[in-house]
Amino acid sequence: MPNGSGRPSGGAPSGGPARRPSGPGGRPQRPAGRFAGRRNFSRRRVCRYCAEPKLSIDYKDAKALRPFLSERGKIVPRRLSGACAKHQRQISTAVKRARVLAIIPFSTVSLD
C-alpha cells in the first residue's frame, strides 16, 4: 500500500479490471490495413451429383468415393465436400458399405 489509500498501486486507474482499448461507441478497434479483419468468403460449391444427374453414388466405385475421404480415411463433412444433404447421406452410406466389404480401408494409418 504505497499510495496510502488502502488500494495497491498499479492496474487500472478506476480500481476495476483493465479494459481493452476501444473505438468510437465502445466497440473494439478493428485491425488496420486494407484487408485486415475481413473474412475469406468463397463461393459455395454446387453439389456435383445435383449438377450432373447422370452421376450415381455407388459403393463399388472406390475411385469415385476417394474425394469424400480425408487422408486418414475419415468421411469429409458437407461444408468441405460441397455435397448437398441428400447426397452427403448417400455418400456416407456408400463409404460405410465399401469399408465393410473391404473395398476401401477403415483408416490409412499403419501401426508399423
Side-chain angles (χ1 to χ4, degrees), residues 36-91:
R38 289 190 187 177
R39 295 184 184 232
N40 296 331
F41 289 110
S42 60
R43 201 170 145 207
R44 179 109 174 126
R45 277 199 242 174
V46 179
C47 175
R48 70 172 83 175
Y49 294 104
C50 289
E52 198 63 46
K54 68 177 184 175
L55 288 177
S56 64
I57 300 167
D58 186 16
Y59 70 92
K60 293 172 279 190
D61 190 4
K63 192 175 180 182
L65 295 175
R66 287 279 177 206
F68 301 103
L69 295 173
S70 69
E71 60 189 27
R72 298 197 65 159
K74 292 181 171 185
I75 299 171
V76 176
R78 258 184 74 200
R79 61 187 159 78
L80 297 179
S81 68
C84 67
K86 173 185 167 184
H87 289 114
Q88 182 70 20
R89 284 193 298 270
Q90 292 177 1
I91 289 164

Side-chain angles (χ1 to χ4, degrees), residues 7 10-19:
R7 290 190 318 217
S14 64
R19 300 176 79 189

